[in-house]
């Protein structure tokens, strides 16, 4: 097991001014500890598993013969994860249709209805917003933390998180980084040593520190990177295209 030195604590000491010294002095002390790689990976999985959402079509209130039924969820279509504190979820746009309502299965098997609000112009990502009925309290959630795409390196340890019925993971490394243009200004695809066939669309790829790097998109041989600028553009309705130039 590798060990990693990481600054995990900052202690701020405040010196109160006395009669002769009216300027307070603030001293910041950094404490560095040794952290095992496997401990970071475990914590990364735990943190993100609670932010993972399983997306289903809406169930039916009646059977084909017209009898009443209580099936709240229909077909399982993919995964997503929280990207905003109001419970907004991001997923693979190919799994959903704008304006259509779906049922989100949250951590702890809590069910919530949501509607697809928007997608990126190239059909990569989609946002689902929670449906709040009159008189209901608006939902809240802890969103994922996004990594800086420019920090990614070949050989970097990554973790894929997925699972239809329960959380499953796979650990690998970044094998290749593909860019949308020759100047390498925009990262288009993260290829890893992880078997993509094990993970369904919408599954997130994270690093050891729990930061989301990308999303498994249907038809892609890897993970499409998700940056803060792309997410902000998606919320604003003007997200850029991530189509790769070959």
């Amino acid at each position: 097991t590798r060990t990693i030195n990481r600054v995990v604590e900052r202690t701020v000491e405040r010196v109160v001014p006395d009669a002769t010294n009216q300027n307070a002095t603030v001293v910041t002390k950094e404490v560095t500890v040794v952290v095992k790689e496997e401990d970071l990976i475990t914590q990364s999985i735990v943190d993100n598993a609670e932010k993972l959402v399983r997306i289903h079509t809406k169930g039916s209130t009646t059977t084909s013969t017209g009898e009443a039924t209580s099936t709240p969820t229909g077909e399982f279509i993919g995964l997503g994860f929280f990207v905003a504190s109001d419970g907004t979820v991001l997923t693979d746009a190919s799994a959903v249709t704008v304006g259509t309502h779906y049922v989100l299965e949250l951590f702890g098997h809590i069910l919530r209805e949501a509607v697809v609000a928007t997608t990126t112009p190239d059909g990569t990502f989609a946002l689902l917003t929670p449906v709040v009925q009159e008189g209901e309290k608006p939902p809240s959630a802890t969103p994922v933390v996004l990594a800086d795409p420019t920090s990614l390196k070949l050989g970097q340890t990554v973790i894929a998180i997925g699972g239809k019925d329960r959380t499953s993971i796979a650990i690998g490394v970044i094998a290749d980084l593909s860019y949308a243009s020759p100047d390498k200004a925009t990262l288009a695809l993260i290829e890893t040593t992880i078997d993509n066939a094990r993970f369904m669309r919408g599954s997130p790829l994270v690093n050891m520190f729990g930061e989301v790097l990308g999303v498994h998109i249907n038809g892609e041989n890897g993970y499409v990177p998700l940056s803060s600028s792309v997410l902000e553009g998606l919320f604003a309705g003007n997200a850029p295209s991530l189509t790769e130039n070959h």
Side-chain angles (χ1 to χ4, degrees):
T1 300
R2 288 182 291 176
T3 58
I4 299 170
N5 290 331
R6 189 184 183 200
V7 176
V8 295
E9 179 181 337
R10 290 179 182 268
T11 303
V12 178
E13 299 176 349
R14 180 179 175 84
V15 180
V16 180
D18 55 27
T20 59
N21 179 17
Q22 296 302 312
N23 296 319
T25 303
V26 177
V27 180
T28 302
K29 180 175 62 177
E30 293 185 349
V31 180
T32 303
V33 299
V34 176
V35 182
K36 290 183 178 180
E37 180 185 37
E38 63 183 37
D39 292 338
L40 289 175
I41 291 173
T42 300
Q43 190 59 49
S44 174
I45 295 167
V46 170
D47 289 345
N48 284 286
E50 296 184 0
K51 301 167 186 174
L52 198 66
V53 173
R54 291 167 175 83
I55 305 170
H56 303 260
T57 58
K58 291 188 66 176
S60 177
T61 57
T62 59
T63 65
S64 58
T65 59
E67 298 175 354
T69 182
S70 58
T71 305
T73 61
E75 179 187 0
F76 170 75
I77 58 174
L79 297 174
F81 48 85
F82 293 122
V83 290
S85 59
D86 65 356
T88 297
V89 169
L90 182 139
T91 189
D92 177 356
S94 71
V96 295
T97 303
V98 173
T100 300
H101 288 233
Y102 296 87
V103 176
L104 309 181
E105 181 183 353
L106 315 184
F107 186 79
H109 302 291
I110 299 171
L111 300 181
R112 177 183 297 163
E113 185 176 347
V115 61
V116 180
T118 186
T119 65
T120 50
D122 59 2
T124 301
F125 301 126
L127 291 181
L128 295 93
T129 57
V131 174
V132 181
Q133 302 297 338
E134 185 176 354
E136 285 185 344
K137 182 180 179 181
S140 62
T142 302
V144 299
V145 177
L146 301 182
D148 178 4
T150 63
S151 68
L152 303 188
K153 306 294 182 184
L154 296 179
Q156 180 179 338
T157 299
V158 291
I159 309 143
I161 304 177
K164 177 181 177 180
D165 301 310
R166 59 183 182 275
T167 302
S168 63
I169 65 101
I171 301 171
V173 299
I174 295 177
D176 192 19
L177 297 171
S178 300
Y179 293 86
S181 59
D183 61 5
K184 296 186 176 181
T186 303
L187 182 63
L189 191 68
I190 305 167
E191 296 184 48
T192 74
T193 56
I194 296 171
D195 181 7
N196 291 327
R198 288 186 53 194
F199 294 88
M200 64 285 296
R201 53 191 178 182
S203 298
L205 184 74
V206 305
N207 61 20
M208 291 191 302
F209 305 112
E211 300 167 330
V212 170
L213 309 176
V215 185
H216 184 41
I217 300 298
N218 191 41
E220 294 286 357
N221 186 33
Y223 291 78
V224 176
L226 178 63
S227 65
S228 58
S229 60
V230 169
L231 184 58
E232 289 167 3
L234 188 54
F235 274 109
N238 58 356
S241 171
L242 297 175
T243 303
E244 181 180 0
N245 293 333
H246 296 281

